Amino acid sequence: MPPVPKRVVTPDGRVLFTGKEIKDGQNVWQSIGGQEVGTIWGHGAYVAPDWNADWLHREAMWILNKYATEQYGKAYEGLDEERQAMLRARLKKEIRTNTYQEDTGDLILSPIRAEAVEAISKHYAGLFGSDPKLDKLRDQYAIPRNTIKDPKRMRALNAFFFWTTWACATNRPGENMTYTNNWPHEPLIGNVATGTMVIWSVVSFVLLLAGIGALAWYYAKQQHTELEETFPEKDPLLALSPTPSMRATLKYFWVVAALWVIQVGLGAVTAHYQVEGSGFYGIPLAEWLPYSVTRTWHTQLGIFWIATAWIAAGLFVAPAVSGREPKYQRFFVNLLFVCLLIIVVGSLAGQWIGVQQRLGLKTNFWFGHQGYEYTDLGRFWQLFLTVGLFLWLFLMARAIWPALREKKDDRHLLILFLIASTAIPVFYIPALLWGQHTHLAIAEYWRWWVVHLWVEGFFEVFATVVIAFLFTRMGLLRISTATTSVLFSTIVFLFGGIIGTFHHLYFSGTPIGVLAFGATFSALEVVPLVLIGFEAYENLTLSRARPWVQAYKWPIYYFIAVAFWNLVGAGLFGFFINPPIALYYMQGLNTTSVHGHTALFGV
């Protein structure tokens, strides 16, 4: 993990940046939208550049031109290949040599590199300020004028950009690769893909083929051993009478629909910013809703409506499971609904105010914009959401508990249902495990626990349990078959999924072991998604089991669509970018957003 120096100094003791400025700069970056404005270490939005790749190339070219002018009296581009090669070798030694002093905490920069840092800092001050010469570049990046108004904040942001770029360009102690495994690709300083990336990429290909082969064998074996299903002649759910709390969930689904429509609209506006960075068809929209805000809301609303849909589904199904309505259940369902509305509106408003630079850095962390993609809402709103999720779990448990006490055949499936419900609030807790000044590499680690495991992992497990339970209640699946299927799917999902989360951390200041485990287990993540293809076919078959099942054809078609996008979005498009050698060149490109969108279709 790259160390945060106490000071960045020149050999004569002149201080360029302090450790406090670097940490404050991280908060400034978060306050303007963070990963919603360009990327850092490859994570974030794709209209503005990766700030590390941009800074590194500008710094390298500045130093090369300085060398060329001093030694040959002309710009670097005007030199012949031999002289350019000589200057690049000199540059590589200058940039990649680790000059961090562990005993003092100082990072020492040579005079020429200090000049380069100051020159690049002026460029960024003009870019995030109001330099008219950079208007065209600002429009291309979808960054409004005066995004940062305070010179002190701008200096801190430059300190943060420098430090994260230094980690990309500086060799780890005793090794010939940078803290970010030589990412981004920058041949001028020898930042190229390593042999380790190639080796573990090949290993991931082999494991993927082996895993799919083993799963196909298992599925074929199960098909030969399963007994023939017998389906009821009439709809077993006709006798179901909705309770008051079940009826109270209807408004949740109306909100889900509204959030979905708003999210799609914001997606269209966000996409348009790639063409017209300062407005919307001539309307200066960026003055009120800049790209960083529309993209934040677009991604955040996706999480909100998906979570709300599953929460409402759980609240509807739970009383149906036991056939009993707990006391005050309707009141608590309505209370939770109000809490969710407050969280949605409050967090979105706080993000807008934060991006407008109207909050102090500490206040922004708590109520504004945290700047971490998909977990952008302020810490207060995260705590509020966590409490709401545990309230939801309480409502689920009290509704299911009477059925659990009755030792019927479906008791094991109900236990799985309760465990899957418990995982949703519990595995949102990692969103609370970083603080205002937590090291970026650590914050990234916990953020991906939320994005990858909470959104893509445990909601999928919860969906599998809910679908299996509904099919057993409809008499379309035997309880033993459903329980076995859910257990098997969950084990296979999480076996690859938990450790496979590391594939997001290849270039985030992590050791080689993270790259190896991430490549290996992210390949295994694709294996259970092949199983989903089989389940989709089975669901289609069930839709034709009896004439009365046609009344449920659209929910069943929905399950099939979810399975399709899980396989294509999370599986095919995910593995397309997951091998280290692939992600090295694709990190921060639109291939990632293709995977992100289509994978969420499967949630």
Side-chain angles (χ1 to χ4, degrees):
M1 189 168 69
V4 179
K6 292 180 180 177
R7 301 186 307 167
V8 180
V9 298
T10 58
D12 60 4
R14 183 166 65 94
V15 178
L16 299 175
F17 302 118
T18 65
K20 183 179 185 304
E21 286 178 319
I22 293 171
K23 293 178 180 179
D24 286 345
Q26 183 174 336
N27 293 155
V28 174
W29 166 71
Q30 291 173 277
S31 73
I32 64 173
Q35 291 174 340
E36 311 293 353
V37 186
T39 63
I40 290 287
W41 291 347
H43 294 303
Y46 311 128
V47 176
D50 181 88
W51 300 116
N52 305 132
D54 187 67
W55 181 298
L56 179 56
H57 188 73
R58 290 178 184 277
E59 182 181 350
M61 288 304 302
W62 193 97
I63 295 175
L64 285 173
N65 281 316
K66 183 76 170 178
Y67 286 159
T69 302
E70 289 181 348
Q71 195 163 341
Y72 303 109
K74 60 173 70 173
Y76 170 78
E77 295 294 339
L79 301 178
D80 56 54
E81 290 184 4
E82 290 183 1
R83 289 177 175 176
Q84 285 185 347
M86 183 182 71
L87 293 185
R88 285 199 303 271
R90 183 178 170 190
L91 172 72
K92 181 178 178 180
K93 183 177 180 181
E94 171 71 38
I95 296 290
R96 293 190 63 125
T97 300
N98 196 330
T99 56
Y100 174 72
Q101 309 298 307
E102 194 172 350
D103 54 342
T104 63
D106 285 349
L107 173 59
I108 301 174
L109 298 188
S110 65
I112 191 171
R113 193 169 183 192
E115 285 185 65
V117 168
E118 290 172 342
I120 308 305
S121 295
K122 288 180 181 178
H123 165 77
Y124 280 114
L127 179 66
F128 287 94
S130 57
D131 187 346
K133 297 177 183 177
L134 298 175
D135 281 345
K136 183 178 180 180
L137 195 59
R138 266 192 296 271
D139 189 69
Q140 292 172 348
Y141 292 172
I143 297 175
R145 273 191 168 211
N146 293 313
T147 295
I148 297 178
K149 304 173 181 65
D150 184 353
K152 186 178 178 181
R153 285 195 174 194
M154 189 62 241
R155 175 178 168 80
L157 181 65
N158 277 324
F160 175 68
F161 280 175
F162 162 76
W163 171 72
T164 51
T165 304
W166 172 82
C168 294
T170 302
N171 283 340
R172 305 177 188 198
E175 298 186 46
N176 192 31
M177 69 176 68
T178 70
Y179 287 104
T180 57
N181 288 319
N182 285 4
W183 194 92
H185 180 70
E186 181 51 83
L188 291 176
I189 65 163
N191 257 20
V192 294
T194 64
T196 304
M197 294 180 195
V198 177
I199 291 171
W200 286 108
S201 296
V202 172
V203 169
S204 71
F205 299 149
V206 174
L207 283 175
L208 173 63
L209 294 174
I212 292 175
L215 187 62
W217 173 84
Y218 172 83
Y219 184 78
K221 181 175 178 295
Q222 289 295 107
Q223 289 294 93
H224 284 91
T225 57
E226 285 183 1
L227 299 174
E228 184 178 350
E229 296 280 2
T230 56
F231 305 118
E233 294 295 332
K234 295 182 180 180
D235 184 357
L237 297 185
L238 285 177
L240 177 64
S241 178
T243 66
S245 71
M246 293 168 70
R247 291 193 183 95
T249 62
L250 178 62
K251 54 183 168 288
Y252 283 79
F253 294 105
W254 282 112
V255 168
V256 167
L259 293 179
W260 181 83
V261 171
I262 296 170
Q263 189 210 9
V264 171
L266 287 168
V269 173
T270 302
H272 185 80
Y273 270 127
Q274 298 185 56
V275 180
E276 188 182 356
S278 57
F280 187 74
Y281 293 103
I283 303 171
L285 187 63
E287 294 180 12
W288 309 289
L289 285 178
Y291 172 83
S292 59
V293 172
T294 63
R295 191 180 189 277
T296 299
W297 287 358
H298 174 65
T299 56
Q300 202 66 60
L301 286 175
I303 302 300
F304 279 146
W305 76 254
I306 291 169
T308 303
W310 286 121
I311 285 171
L315 291 173
F316 183 87
V317 169
V321 169
S322 63
R324 300 176 186 177
E325 173 86 348
K327 194 174 182 180
Y328 302 121
Q329 183 81 350
R330 181 174 178 273
F331 169 78
F332 284 117
V333 168
N334 290 330
L335 175 64
L336 182 59
F337 178 76
V338 173
C339 291
L340 285 174
L341 286 182
I342 293 172
I343 291 168
V344 171
V345 175
S347 64
L348 297 184
Q351 288 159 353
W352 182 83
I353 296 170
V355 169
Q356 297 298 318
Q357 299 293 284
R358 298 180 183 179
L359 300 175
L361 296 181
K362 187 172 184 178
T363 306
N364 179 74
F365 172 78
W366 279 95
F367 297 98
H369 201 307
Q370 283 207 52
Y372 295 129
E373 194 177 23
Y374 294 108
T375 56
D376 300 285
L377 59 167
R379 178 52 49 85
F380 171 80
W381 305 112
Q382 288 179 322
L383 288 168
F384 198 168
L385 179 58
T386 304
V387 172
L389 290 173
F390 274 101
L391 172 60
W392 171 76
L393 176 61
F394 167 72
L395 297 180
M396 296 283 289
R398 72 197 294 258
I400 295 172
W401 193 253
L404 280 173
R405 296 176 66 180
E406 299 174 5
K407 297 182 179 181
K408 294 183 178 180
D409 292 341
D410 62 353
R411 188 167 183 266
H412 295 297
L413 190 58
L414 287 175
I415 291 173
L416 288 175
F417 184 66
L418 186 59
I419 291 173
S421 302
T422 304
I424 290 177
V426 168
F427 279 87
Y428 186 73
I429 290 176
L432 310 176
L433 297 183
W434 65 78
Q436 183 182 352
H437 297 296
T438 297
H439 193 290
L440 181 61
I442 301 297
E444 275 291 271
Y445 172 77
W446 290 119
R447 179 177 80 91
W448 283 112
W449 268 74
V450 178
V451 178
H452 188 86
L453 285 177
W454 189 66
V455 177
E456 295 184 41
F458 286 102
F459 272 118
E460 289 179 356
V461 171
F462 181 73
T464 302
V465 178
V466 170
I467 292 169
F469 185 83
L470 288 176
F471 280 157
T472 59
R473 280 302 172 102
M474 293 167 69
L476 300 177
L477 273 181
R478 291 196 312 275
I479 292 173
S480 59
T481 302
T483 305
T484 304
S485 176
V486 167
L487 271 174
F488 178 76
S489 299
T490 302
I491 291 169
V492 178
F493 259 120
L494 299 184
F495 176 74
I498 292 177
I499 303 179
T501 304
F502 287 167
H503 75 260
H504 296 288
L505 306 174
Y506 293 155
F507 314 121
S508 299
T510 50
I512 292 297
V514 168
L515 187 147
F517 278 111
T520 302
F521 283 88
S522 67
L524 294 176
E525 283 185 273
V526 184
V527 174
L529 298 177
V530 177
L531 180 66
I532 287 177
F534 296 142
E535 291 178 353
Y537 174 75
E538 290 176 349
N539 289 343
L540 184 61
T541 302
L542 291 176
S543 70
R544 302 163 181 164
R546 287 285 186 270
W548 62 264
V549 183
Q550 285 298 305
Y552 301 97
K553 68 177 182 179
W554 288 112
I556 292 174
Y557 288 166
Y558 172 80
F559 297 152
I560 294 168
V562 165
F564 172 82
W565 284 113
N566 252 320
L567 175 60
V568 174
L572 298 182
F573 289 143
F575 189 72
F576 182 59
I577 61 175
N578 279 358
I581 193 62
L583 197 59
Y584 181 80
Y585 294 104
M586 296 181 186
Q587 178 96 314
L589 299 182
N590 279 324
T591 47
T592 306
S593 59
V594 168
H595 162 60
H597 280 81
T598 52
L600 279 176
F601 292 164
V603 178

Short mmCIF file of all heavy atoms in Angstrom, two decimals, residues 13 15 69 114 127 191 223 313 354 425 463:
data_model
loop_
_atom_site.label_atom_id
_atom_site.label_comp_id
_atom_site.label_asym_id
_atom_site.label_seq_id
_atom_site.Cartn_x
_atom_site.Cartn_y
_atom_site.Cartn_z
N GLY A 13 14.99 21.30 1.40
CA GLY A 13 14.04 21.42 2.50
C GLY A 13 12.79 22.21 2.19
O GLY A 13 11.93 22.38 3.07
N VAL A 15 9.17 22.82 1.26
CA VAL A 15 7.99 21.96 1.35
C VAL A 15 7.03 22.26 0.19
O VAL A 15 6.59 23.39 0.01
CB VAL A 15 7.26 22.16 2.69
CG1 VAL A 15 6.00 21.30 2.75
CG2 VAL A 15 8.18 21.82 3.86
N THR A 69 15.43 20.70 -24.00
CA THR A 69 15.76 22.12 -24.19
C THR A 69 17.11 22.46 -23.59
O THR A 69 17.92 23.17 -24.19
CB THR A 69 14.65 22.99 -23.55
OG1 THR A 69 13.40 22.66 -24.14
CG2 THR A 69 14.94 24.46 -23.78
N ALA A 114 10.23 18.89 -8.96
CA ALA A 114 9.45 19.87 -8.20
C ALA A 114 8.92 20.95 -9.14
O ALA A 114 7.76 21.38 -9.01
CB ALA A 114 10.31 20.50 -7.11
N LEU A 127 -7.80 24.60 -14.77
CA LEU A 127 -8.86 23.71 -15.26
C LEU A 127 -10.06 23.71 -14.33
O LEU A 127 -11.22 23.82 -14.77
CB LEU A 127 -8.31 22.30 -15.42
CG LEU A 127 -9.30 21.23 -15.89
CD1 LEU A 127 -9.75 21.51 -17.32
CD2 LEU A 127 -8.69 19.83 -15.79
N ASN A 191 6.04 2.01 -17.69
CA ASN A 191 4.83 1.43 -17.10
C ASN A 191 4.15 0.54 -18.14
O ASN A 191 3.38 1.02 -18.98
CB ASN A 191 3.86 2.54 -16.64
CG ASN A 191 3.89 2.76 -15.14
OD1 ASN A 191 4.85 2.39 -14.48
ND2 ASN A 191 2.85 3.39 -14.62
N GLN A 223 -30.12 -34.06 -13.52
CA GLN A 223 -31.25 -34.28 -14.41
C GLN A 223 -31.63 -35.77 -14.48
O GLN A 223 -32.79 -36.12 -14.65
CB GLN A 223 -30.91 -33.78 -15.82
CG GLN A 223 -30.86 -32.26 -15.94
CD GLN A 223 -32.22 -31.63 -15.72
OE1 GLN A 223 -32.56 -31.25 -14.60
NE2 GLN A 223 -33.02 -31.51 -16.76
N ALA A 313 -40.66 -6.44 -1.72
CA ALA A 313 -40.98 -7.84 -2.01
C ALA A 313 -40.89 -8.67 -0.74
O ALA A 313 -41.75 -9.53 -0.46
CB ALA A 313 -40.03 -8.38 -3.07
N GLY A 354 -23.17 19.59 -1.67
CA GLY A 354 -21.74 19.33 -1.53
C GLY A 354 -20.97 19.67 -2.79
O GLY A 354 -19.90 20.30 -2.73
N PRO A 425 -28.87 -6.33 5.41
CA PRO A 425 -28.38 -5.25 6.27
C PRO A 425 -26.97 -5.47 6.79
O PRO A 425 -26.18 -4.52 6.90
CB PRO A 425 -29.39 -5.23 7.43
CG PRO A 425 -30.00 -6.58 7.43
CD PRO A 425 -30.02 -7.03 6.02
N ALA A 463 -32.80 -12.96 -4.14
CA ALA A 463 -33.72 -13.19 -5.26
C ALA A 463 -33.91 -14.68 -5.51
O ALA A 463 -35.03 -15.15 -5.76
CB ALA A 463 -33.19 -12.50 -6.52
#
